[in-house]
Amino acid sequence: MNPQHLGSSLDDYLSDEGLLSQSESVAIKRVLAFQIAALMAQQRLSKAEMARRMKTSRAAVDRLLDPNSDSATLITLEKAACALGMRLQVSLG
């Protein structure tokens, strides 16, 4: 372990290593995938029905729900939100 990071936060470490932005993006994608899957389960919505509502393929829904896939675009996320009766909200902070 590098002594310069002793006592620092994880954010400090990731920032120093140039990984903070990428780590935050991955975390956001995983949370969105989890939320979409949870709403689908709550609404008893199959992947096939979700794909139909989004006017896309089942494979695209699989990618959307895969927390390790980084292929989701804002347009795809908006389609998913609409298919679930929700609205996607994006903000800068």
Side-chain angles (χ1 to χ4, degrees), residues 52-68:
R52 187 191 68 73
R53 289 183 184 187
M54 291 176 62
K55 296 181 171 78
T56 191
S57 67
R58 163 102 188 252
V61 172
D62 285 335
R63 285 189 300 274
L64 176 65
L65 296 174
D66 180 356
N68 298 312

Side-chain angles (χ1 to χ4, degrees), residues 2 26 43 66:
N2 188 336
V26 169
Q43 296 179 22
D66 180 356

Side-chain angles (χ1 to χ4, degrees), residues 14 20-21 28 31 38 42 44-45 48 57 62-63 70 72 78:
L14 292 172
L20 183 59
S21 179
I28 290 167
V31 167
Q42 182 181 22
R44 293 185 174 94
L45 196 63
S57 67
D62 285 335
R63 285 189 300 274
D70 60 359
E78 179 63 28

Side-chain angles (χ1 to χ4, degrees), residues 29-39 65:
K29 168 57 171 90
R30 287 182 177 174
V31 167
L32 287 171
F34 176 80
Q35 289 177 331
I36 291 167
L39 285 166
L65 296 174

Side-chain angles (χ1 to χ4, degrees), residues 76-92:
T76 303
L77 293 170
E78 179 63 28
K79 285 181 180 182
C82 287
L84 294 164
M86 306 295 282
R87 191 167 158 250
L88 181 67
Q89 296 178 350
V90 180
S91 65
L92 300 174

Side-chain angles (χ1 to χ4, degrees), residues 4-5 8-24:
Q4 83 181 42
H5 295 296
S8 66
S9 72
L10 179 59
D11 284 355
D12 291 338
Y13 171 76
L14 292 172
S15 182
D16 289 349
E17 297 297 316
L19 300 172
L20 183 59
S21 179
Q22 178 184 358
S23 298
E24 288 175 340

